[in-house]
Coordinates of all heavy atoms in Angstrom, one line a residue:
M69 N -13.3 -50.0 -8.4 CA -12.7 -51.2 -7.5 C -12.4 -52.4 -8.4 O -11.6 -53.2 -7.9 CB -13.6 -51.4 -6.4 CG -13.6 -50.3 -5.4 SD -11.9 -49.8 -4.6 CE -11.8 -51.4 -3.7
A70 N -13.1 -52.7 -9.3 CA -13.0 -53.9 -10.1 C -11.7 -53.8 -11.0 O -11.4 -54.9 -11.6 CB -14.2 -54.2 -11.0
K71 N -11.1 -52.7 -11.2 CA -9.9 -52.6 -12.0 C -8.6 -52.6 -11.1 O -8.4 -51.7 -10.3 CB -9.8 -51.2 -12.7 CG -11.1 -50.9 -13.7 CD -10.9 -49.6 -14.1 CE -12.3 -49.2 -14.9 NZ -12.3 -47.8 -15.2
P72 N -8.0 -53.8 -11.2 CA -6.7 -53.9 -10.3 C -5.7 -52.8 -10.5 O -5.4 -52.3 -11.6 CB -6.1 -55.3 -10.7 CG -7.3 -56.0 -11.4 CD -8.1 -54.9 -12.1
S73 N -5.2 -52.4 -9.3 CA -4.0 -51.4 -9.4 C -2.9 -51.8 -8.4 O -3.3 -52.5 -7.4 CB -4.7 -50.0 -8.9 OG -5.6 -49.4 -9.8
N74 N -1.7 -51.4 -8.6 CA -0.7 -51.5 -7.7 C -0.9 -50.7 -6.4 O -0.5 -51.2 -5.3 CB 0.7 -51.2 -8.2 CG 1.0 -52.3 -9.4 OD1 0.9 -53.4 -9.3 ND2 1.7 -51.7 -10.4
L75 N -1.4 -49.5 -6.5 CA -1.4 -48.6 -5.5 C -2.8 -48.1 -5.1 O -3.6 -47.9 -6.0 CB -0.4 -47.3 -5.8 CG 0.9 -47.7 -6.1 CD1 1.6 -46.3 -6.6 CD2 1.7 -48.2 -5.0
L76 N -3.0 -48.0 -3.8 CA -4.3 -47.5 -3.4 C -4.5 -46.1 -3.7 O -5.6 -45.6 -4.0 CB -4.6 -47.5 -1.7 CG -4.5 -48.8 -1.2 CD1 -4.7 -48.8 0.3 CD2 -5.6 -49.7 -1.8
E77 N -3.2 -45.3 -3.9 CA -3.4 -43.9 -4.3 C -4.0 -43.8 -5.8 O -4.9 -42.9 -6.0 CB -2.0 -43.3 -4.5 CG -1.3 -43.0 -3.0 CD -0.6 -44.3 -2.5 OE1 -0.8 -45.5 -2.8 OE2 0.3 -44.0 -1.7
N78 N -3.7 -44.8 -6.5 CA -4.3 -44.9 -7.9 C -5.7 -45.1 -7.9 O -6.5 -44.5 -8.6 CB -3.6 -45.9 -8.8 CG -4.1 -46.0 -10.2 OD1 -4.8 -46.9 -10.4 ND2 -3.6 -45.1 -11.0
V79 N -6.2 -46.0 -7.0 CA -7.5 -46.4 -6.9 C -8.4 -45.2 -6.5 O -9.4 -44.9 -7.1 CB -7.6 -47.6 -6.0 CG1 -9.2 -48.0 -6.0 CG2 -6.9 -48.8 -6.4
A80 N -8.0 -44.7 -5.3 CA -8.6 -43.5 -4.9 C -8.8 -42.3 -5.8 O -9.9 -41.7 -6.0 CB -8.1 -43.1 -3.5
A81 N -7.7 -42.1 -6.5 CA -7.6 -41.0 -7.5 C -8.6 -41.2 -8.6 O -9.3 -40.3 -9.1 CB -6.3 -40.7 -7.9
R82 N -8.6 -42.5 -9.1 CA -9.6 -42.8 -10.3 C -11.0 -42.7 -9.7 O -11.8 -42.3 -10.6 CB -9.3 -44.3 -10.5 CG -8.0 -44.5 -11.5 CD -8.1 -45.9 -12.3 NE -8.9 -46.9 -11.7 CZ -8.4 -47.8 -10.9 NH1 -7.1 -47.9 -10.7 NH2 -9.2 -48.8 -10.4
I83 N -11.3 -43.1 -8.6 CA -12.7 -43.0 -8.2 C -13.1 -41.6 -8.1 O -14.2 -41.0 -8.6 CB -12.9 -43.6 -6.7 CG1 -12.7 -45.2 -6.8 CG2 -14.2 -43.3 -6.2 CD1 -12.7 -45.9 -5.5
V84 N -12.2 -40.6 -7.5 CA -12.5 -39.2 -7.5 C -12.7 -38.7 -8.9 O -13.7 -37.9 -9.1 CB -11.3 -38.4 -6.7 CG1 -11.6 -37.0 -6.9 CG2 -11.4 -38.8 -5.3
D85 N -11.9 -39.0 -9.8 CA -11.8 -38.6 -11.1 C -13.2 -38.9 -11.8 O -13.9 -38.2 -12.4 CB -10.6 -39.0 -11.9 CG -9.4 -38.2 -11.5 OD1 -9.5 -37.2 -10.9 OD2 -8.3 -38.8 -12.0
A86 N -13.6 -40.2 -11.6 CA -14.8 -40.7 -12.3 C -16.0 -40.1 -11.7 O -16.9 -39.8 -12.5 CB -14.9 -42.3 -12.1
I87 N -16.0 -39.8 -10.4 CA -17.2 -39.1 -9.8 C -17.4 -37.8 -10.3 O -18.4 -37.2 -10.6 CB -17.1 -39.2 -8.4 CG1 -17.4 -40.6 -7.9 CG2 -18.2 -38.3 -7.6 CD1 -17.2 -41.0 -6.4
M88 N -16.1 -37.1 -10.4 CA -16.2 -35.7 -10.8 C -16.5 -35.5 -12.3 O -17.0 -34.5 -12.7 CB -14.9 -35.1 -10.5 CG -14.6 -34.8 -8.9 SD -15.7 -33.9 -8.1 CE -15.2 -32.2 -8.6
E89 N -16.3 -36.6 -13.1 CA -16.8 -36.6 -14.5 C -18.3 -36.5 -14.7 O -18.7 -36.1 -15.8 CB -16.1 -37.6 -15.3 CG -14.6 -37.6 -15.5 CD -14.2 -38.8 -16.1 OE1 -14.8 -39.6 -16.8 OE2 -12.8 -38.8 -16.3
V90 N -19.0 -36.9 -13.7 CA -20.5 -36.9 -13.8 C -20.9 -35.6 -13.1 O -20.5 -35.2 -12.1 CB -21.1 -38.1 -13.0 CG1 -22.6 -38.2 -13.2 CG2 -20.4 -39.4 -13.7
D91 N -21.9 -35.1 -13.8 CA -22.5 -33.8 -13.3 C -23.5 -34.0 -12.0 O -24.8 -34.0 -12.1 CB -23.2 -33.1 -14.4 CG -23.6 -31.7 -13.8 OD1 -23.1 -31.2 -12.8 OD2 -24.5 -31.1 -14.6
F92 N -22.9 -34.4 -10.9 CA -23.6 -34.5 -9.6 C -23.7 -33.1 -8.9 O -24.5 -33.1 -8.0 CB -23.0 -35.5 -8.6 CG -23.0 -36.9 -9.3 CD1 -21.8 -37.6 -9.3 CD2 -24.1 -37.7 -9.3 CE1 -21.8 -39.0 -9.8 CE2 -24.2 -38.9 -9.7 CZ -23.1 -39.6 -10.0
G93 N -23.0 -32.1 -9.5 CA -23.1 -30.8 -8.7 C -22.0 -30.8 -7.5 O -22.1 -29.8 -6.7
F94 N -21.1 -31.8 -7.4 CA -20.2 -31.6 -6.2 C -19.2 -30.6 -6.5 O -18.6 -30.7 -7.6 CB -19.5 -33.0 -6.0 CG -20.6 -34.1 -5.4 CD1 -20.7 -35.2 -6.2 CD2 -21.2 -33.9 -4.3 CE1 -21.6 -36.2 -5.9 CE2 -21.9 -34.9 -3.8 CZ -22.2 -36.0 -4.5
W95 N -18.8 -29.8 -5.5 CA -17.8 -28.9 -5.6 C -16.5 -29.4 -4.8 O -15.5 -28.9 -4.8 CB -18.1 -27.4 -5.3 CG -18.9 -27.3 -4.0 CD1 -20.2 -27.3 -3.8 CD2 -18.2 -27.1 -2.8 NE1 -20.5 -27.0 -2.5 CE2 -19.3 -26.9 -1.8 CE3 -16.9 -27.0 -2.3 CZ2 -19.1 -26.7 -0.4 CZ3 -16.8 -26.7 -0.9 CH2 -17.8 -26.7 0.0
F96 N -16.8 -30.5 -4.1 CA -15.8 -31.1 -3.2 C -16.1 -32.6 -3.2 O -17.3 -33.1 -2.9 CB -15.7 -30.5 -1.8 CG -14.7 -31.3 -1.0 CD1 -13.3 -31.0 -1.0 CD2 -15.3 -32.1 0.0 CE1 -12.5 -31.7 -0.1 CE2 -14.4 -32.7 1.0 CZ -13.0 -32.6 0.8
V97 N -15.0 -33.4 -3.4 CA -15.2 -34.8 -3.3 C -14.0 -35.4 -2.5 O -13.0 -35.0 -2.7 CB -15.4 -35.5 -4.6 CG1 -15.2 -37.0 -4.6 CG2 -16.6 -35.1 -5.3
Q98 N -14.3 -36.3 -1.6 CA -13.2 -37.0 -0.8 C -13.6 -38.4 -0.8 O -14.8 -38.9 -0.6 CB -13.2 -36.5 0.6 CG -12.1 -37.1 1.4 CD -12.1 -36.3 2.8 OE1 -13.1 -36.5 3.5 NE2 -10.9 -35.8 3.1
V99 N -12.6 -39.2 -1.2 CA -12.7 -40.7 -1.3 C -11.7 -41.4 -0.4 O -10.4 -41.0 -0.6 CB -12.7 -41.3 -2.6 CG1 -12.6 -42.8 -2.6 CG2 -13.9 -40.7 -3.4
R100 N -11.9 -42.3 0.5 CA -11.0 -43.0 1.2 C -11.1 -44.5 0.9 O -12.1 -45.0 1.0 CB -11.2 -42.8 2.9 CG -10.2 -43.6 3.6 CD -10.3 -43.3 5.1 NE -11.4 -43.8 5.7 CZ -11.7 -43.8 7.0 NH1 -11.0 -43.2 7.8 NH2 -12.9 -44.3 7.4
V101 N -9.9 -45.0 0.6 CA -9.9 -46.6 0.2 C -9.1 -47.1 1.2 O -8.0 -46.7 1.5 CB -9.3 -46.7 -1.1 CG1 -9.3 -48.3 -1.4 CG2 -10.1 -46.1 -2.2
S102 N -9.6 -48.2 2.0 CA -9.0 -48.9 3.1 C -8.8 -50.3 2.7 O -9.7 -51.0 2.1 CB -9.8 -48.9 4.3 OG -10.1 -47.5 4.7
K103 N -7.7 -50.9 3.0 CA -7.2 -52.3 2.7 C -7.1 -53.0 4.1 O -6.3 -52.6 4.9 CB -5.9 -52.4 2.0 CG -5.5 -53.9 1.7 CD -4.1 -54.0 1.1 CE -3.9 -53.4 -0.2 NZ -2.7 -53.7 -0.8
K104 N -7.8 -54.1 4.1 CA -7.8 -54.8 5.4 C -6.7 -55.7 5.4 O -6.1 -56.3 4.5 CB -9.0 -55.7 5.6 CG -9.1 -56.4 6.9 CD -10.5 -57.2 6.9 CE -10.8 -57.6 8.3 NZ -12.1 -58.2 8.6
N105 N -5.9 -55.8 6.7 CA -4.7 -56.6 6.9 C -3.7 -56.4 5.8 O -3.3 -57.3 5.2 CB -5.0 -58.0 7.1 CG -6.0 -58.3 8.3 OD1 -5.8 -57.6 9.4 ND2 -7.0 -59.1 8.0
P106 N -3.1 -55.2 5.6 CA -2.1 -55.1 4.5 C -0.9 -55.8 4.8 O -0.5 -56.0 6.0 CB -1.9 -53.6 4.5 CG -2.2 -53.1 5.8 CD -3.3 -54.0 6.3
P107 N -0.2 -56.2 3.8 CA 1.0 -57.0 4.1 C 2.2 -56.1 4.4 O 3.1 -55.7 3.6 CB 1.3 -57.7 2.7 CG 0.8 -56.8 1.8 CD -0.4 -56.2 2.4
V108 N 2.4 -55.7 5.7 CA 3.5 -54.9 6.2 C 4.4 -55.5 7.1 O 5.4 -54.9 7.5 CB 2.9 -53.6 6.9 CG1 2.0 -52.8 5.9 CG2 2.0 -54.0 8.0
G109 N 4.3 -56.8 7.3 CA 5.3 -57.6 8.0 C 5.1 -57.6 9.5 O 5.9 -57.7 10.3
G110 N 3.8 -57.1 9.9 CA 3.4 -57.2 11.3 C 1.9 -56.9 11.4 O 1.2 -56.9 10.4
V111 N 1.5 -56.6 12.6 CA 0.0 -56.5 12.9 C -0.3 -55.1 12.3 O 0.3 -54.1 12.7 CB -0.4 -56.7 14.3 CG1 -1.7 -56.4 14.6 CG2 0.0 -58.1 14.7
C112 N -1.3 -55.1 11.4 CA -1.8 -53.8 11.0 C -3.3 -54.0 10.5 O -3.5 -54.8 9.5 CB -1.0 -53.1 9.9 SG -1.6 -51.6 9.2
A113 N -4.3 -53.4 11.1 CA -5.6 -53.7 10.7 C -6.0 -53.1 9.4 O -6.7 -53.8 8.6 CB -6.7 -53.0 11.8
W114 N -5.5 -51.9 9.1 CA -6.0 -51.3 7.8 C -4.8 -50.5 7.2 O -4.1 -49.8 8.1 CB -7.1 -50.4 8.0 CG -8.4 -51.0 8.3 CD1 -8.8 -51.3 9.7 CD2 -9.3 -51.7 7.6 NE1 -10.1 -51.9 9.6 CE2 -10.4 -52.3 8.4 CE3 -9.6 -52.0 6.3 CZ2 -11.5 -53.0 7.9 CZ3 -10.6 -52.5 5.7 CH2 -11.6 -53.0 6.5

Side-chain angles (χ1 to χ4, degrees):
M69 289 300 294
K71 302 173 189 174
S73 293
N74 289 323
L75 303 176
L76 293 182
E77 291 88 333
N78 180 262
V79 179
R82 282 199 337 261
I83 294 170
V84 168
D85 290 346
I87 289 172
M88 292 301 281
E89 286 179 12
V90 178
D91 186 16
F92 290 119
F94 292 118
W95 51 266
F96 173 78
V97 167
Q98 183 176 61
V99 172
R100 180 172 72 176
V101 179
S102 303
K103 178 192 289 188
K104 190 172 187 174
N105 299 318
V108 295
V111 177
C112 181
W114 297 95

